[in-house]
Amino acid sequence: MAWNRSAGASVADVLAARLGSPVGDVSLPLAEVMGGVGPLNIPNQLDGVRAEWIVLDGGANDLSTGCDCTDCGAVLDRLVSQDGRLGAIPALVSDLRGTGARVIWADYYTSPRYAGTACAGTYRQLEMRLGRMAALDPGVRLVDMDDVFDPGDLSLFAGDRLHPSKKGSARIADLVLREIAPVP
């Protein structure tokens, strides 16, 4: 979510421009749901945040530090159980919902770096679990960035072929905007 902030083109920057109102952004690169110290821990980033909508993603950095994409069951289970009810992500979402916020969880797109690798299967499992989590609460929405990203379109990706380009961040913002302010 933080990528392209220095250029004024992060997801939050684009959302603010499209909505015509301020959008807070506490995201930081390299943050983890279960790990990370201080502000590099996503729950710590959100401590004290109060908003009508909270948009977030997470888990990729946990997976990249906790497994090699072929044996990720234990990390996935700690992030979110198969039924979507337990784990660090459902606990975080539950805490945010307890503040009255509605939550949009943005599921990852397939990047050119991981397309066709064993990692793609791990992220599909994460998406299925997140979908089950979202289905349990009408105040939680899951948006799938794969709906607006094609790993073959390199214009959507930064030079690292992993993070979004400015164009990619704008697509993510537009995907989120459909949930926040749907067009009648």
Side-chain angles (χ1 to χ4, degrees):
M1 294 292 170
W3 213 256
N4 298 308
R5 183 182 296 136
S6 63
S10 71
V11 173
D13 293 324
V14 176
L15 275 173
R18 303 267 203 274
L19 290 168
S21 61
V23 172
D25 185 2
V26 296
S27 63
L28 291 173
L30 304 173
E32 297 179 27
V33 176
M34 300 183 301
V37 176
L40 292 181
N41 174 272
I42 293 170
N44 287 349
Q45 291 173 358
L46 294 164
D47 188 35
V49 170
R50 301 290 180 264
E52 180 181 355
W53 288 96
I54 297 178
V55 180
L56 67 160
D57 69 355
N61 292 327
D62 298 89
L63 288 166
S64 69
T65 60
C67 63
D68 67 0
C69 290
T70 59
D71 185 22
C72 292
V75 176
L76 282 168
D77 287 343
R78 288 194 330 267
L79 284 169
V80 58
S81 62
Q82 288 190 25
D83 66 3
R85 294 179 186 277
L86 302 171
I89 292 173
L92 172 61
V93 169
S94 177
D95 288 348
L96 296 172
R97 292 286 293 133
T99 69
R102 291 184 277 176
V103 174
I104 296 175
W105 195 279
D107 183 58
Y108 295 108
Y109 50 75
T110 304
S111 71
R113 187 185 285 181
Y114 293 117
T117 70
C119 293
T122 298
Y123 287 100
R124 277 192 301 277
Q125 288 181 39
L126 179 61
E127 178 185 2
M128 289 186 303
R129 293 170 183 220
L130 292 170
R132 291 180 192 120
M133 176 195 70
L136 296 169
D137 182 341
V140 178
R141 310 255 173 77
L142 178 69
V143 296
D144 184 357
M145 290 189 257
D146 270 330
D147 290 348
V148 295
F149 269 75
D150 173 358
D153 183 352
L154 296 182
S155 72
L156 298 173
F157 300 92
D160 66 0
R161 298 173 18 133
L162 179 64
H163 293 95
S165 64
K166 292 178 192 175
K167 179 179 175 182
S169 288
R171 285 212 179 166
I172 295 167
D174 288 340
L175 179 68
V176 168
L177 189 61
R178 290 182 215 160
E179 295 295 326
I180 294 173
V183 178

